[in-house]
Amino acid sequence: MSMSLEDLSHKMKEIDFAMLATHTGDGAIGSRPMSNNHEVDYDGSAWFFTEETTLMVSDIKADPAVNLSYQGKSGLLGQRPFFLAVEGTAMLIRDKDQFEAHWTKGLERWWPQGPQTPGLVLIQVIGERAHYWDGEEEGELLLEGAH
């Protein structure tokens, strides 16, 4: 049975972090952990805050093709956990109204000034294809047009 976008969203709520992979200036792949907000329903786009000065931002400026990787907790009865890889395109957003729309309370841990923090950037990863492994089930979901 294949998963729907709603099924993926439900599974993703149980995962604390995603790994965001970008292409670096020298052609390598750079990955870093990003907080996966449990309060947000996944609709084909993922949202992350960062700072303008990060290497991740310069990587995205040069090449917006990215990958998000997620791993759930251990599966039941010795089955492997839930895994998800999302291929997508990243957009860098500097609009304060968008900051307000996507801001959640826990982010103040990193940015005590909130959405008004100087140099803050919002990354939107628009998913194009999701490949998942859930126990013994494996599948793919095209996300284009889902958001």
Side-chain angles (χ1 to χ4, degrees):
M1 178 176 128
S2 40
M3 285 194 181
S4 67
L5 183 59
E6 184 178 343
D7 296 330
L8 285 181
S9 179
H10 179 74
K11 291 273 191 185
M12 292 167 73
K13 279 189 176 277
E14 300 172 6
I15 300 172
D16 288 332
F17 290 93
M19 291 296 289
L20 173 60
T22 59
H23 295 95
T24 66
D26 63 2
I29 296 174
S31 296
R32 68 280 294 159
M34 303 298 286
S35 178
N36 181 43
N37 188 336
H38 300 286
E39 299 171 28
V40 176
D41 290 320
Y42 184 71
D43 65 358
S45 282
W47 302 86
F48 307 102
F49 283 93
T50 192
E51 296 174 15
E52 186 72 48
T53 56
T54 63
L55 289 174
M56 176 175 36
V57 168
S58 58
D59 289 351
I60 291 169
K61 283 179 187 174
D63 184 348
V66 299
N67 182 275
L68 292 169
S69 301
Y70 299 84
Q71 179 181 339
K73 295 184 173 108
S74 297
L76 296 175
L77 303 173
Q79 288 187 345
R80 64 183 175 193
F82 175 73
F83 295 96
L84 175 64
V86 177
E87 294 173 30
T89 302
M91 294 178 52
L92 300 171
I93 299 168
R94 295 172 181 85
D95 179 340
K96 300 286 186 195
D97 289 339
Q98 287 288 334
F99 290 4
E100 293 286 347
H102 295 283
W103 191 262
T104 58
K105 190 103 173 123
L107 292 169
E108 279 137 13
R109 174 180 178 194
W110 290 281
W111 298 286
Q113 295 176 10
Q116 301 307 317
T117 302
L120 195 62
V121 176
L122 180 60
I123 299 171
Q124 178 186 14
V125 176
I126 301 166
E128 296 162 9
R129 185 173 72 98
H131 198 115
Y132 62 86
W133 300 263
D134 188 17
E136 300 303 315
E137 184 182 345
E138 176 182 356
E140 192 171 282
L141 186 62
L142 292 179
L143 300 172
E144 294 175 285
H147 15 117

